[in-house]
């Protein structure tokens, strides 16, 4: 049975200090969004995020992180909502990020995937919850990429 929560997953990879984000175009409405889906049974948030990533892209990843960004969505958008008495109107959507390698394979839910820089992804994404989670992830990764750049620079200076 579908659990009363939604997950949003932003896969990314870093090539030559450039961060690229993976977004997909939904088959049902033609809109661009992050990987998303609902939890199942007693599945944890992270387990739901990992399953959705695999189901929709055939990718696995590392450095999973639950982002601070989250939103509430009308429960009537989801099948089985009549069983969610403890959530009379809305359910939470939790955002995650994950570093991946390789390219996604299309699932039956998408017509295409695209690796984007931050600006392009921001312009293509339709939903505010996706844009907010992308912004947070972008800010987190800026700090990480800069840290890595400085660490590599320090290591090179020590070996010369």
């Amino acid at each position: 049975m579908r659990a009363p929560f939604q997950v949003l997953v932003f896969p990314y990879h870093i090539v030559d200090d450039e961060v690229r984000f993976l977004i997909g175009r939904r088959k049902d409405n033609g809109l661009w969004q992050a990987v998303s889906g609902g939890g199942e049974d007693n599945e944890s948030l992270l387990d739901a995020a990992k399953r959705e990533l695999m189901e929709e892209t055939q990718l696995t990843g590392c450095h999973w992180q639950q982002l601070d960004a989250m939103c509430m969505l009308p429960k009537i958008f989801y099948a089985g909502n009549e069983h969610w008495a403890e959530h009379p109107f809305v359910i939470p959507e939790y955002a995650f990020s994950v570093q991946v390698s390789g390219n996604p394979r299309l699932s039956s839910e998408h017509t295409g995937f695209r690796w984007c820089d931050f600006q392009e992804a921001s312009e293509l994404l339709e939903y505010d919850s996706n844009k907010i989670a992308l912004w947070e992830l972008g800010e987190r990764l800026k700090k990480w990429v800069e840290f890595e750049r400085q660490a590599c620079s320090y290591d090179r200076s020590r070996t010369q």
Side-chain angles (χ1 to χ4, degrees), residues 36 54 91 106 124 134 148:
S36 67
M54 176 56 76
I91 62 167
L106 277 179
L124 288 172
L134 175 68
E148 287 292 307

Side-chain angles (χ1 to χ4, degrees), residues 8-12 21-23 34 96-98 125 130 133-134 137:
L8 188 67
V9 181
F10 270 102
Y12 68 90
F21 304 94
L22 182 67
I23 60 174
F96 290 85
S97 67
V98 59
L125 292 170
N130 283 231
L134 175 68
L137 175 55

Side-chain angles (χ1 to χ4, degrees), residues 13-44:
H13 63 217
I14 301 171
V15 178
D16 298 326
D17 291 340
E18 296 296 321
V19 179
R20 306 292 284 180
F21 304 94
L22 182 67
I23 60 174
R25 186 173 214 155
R26 300 273 315 166
K27 186 179 263 185
D28 58 358
N29 62 18
L31 300 176
W32 290 96
Q33 68 178 54
V35 170
S36 67
E40 294 179 359
D41 300 316
N42 294 320
E43 192 173 46
S44 72

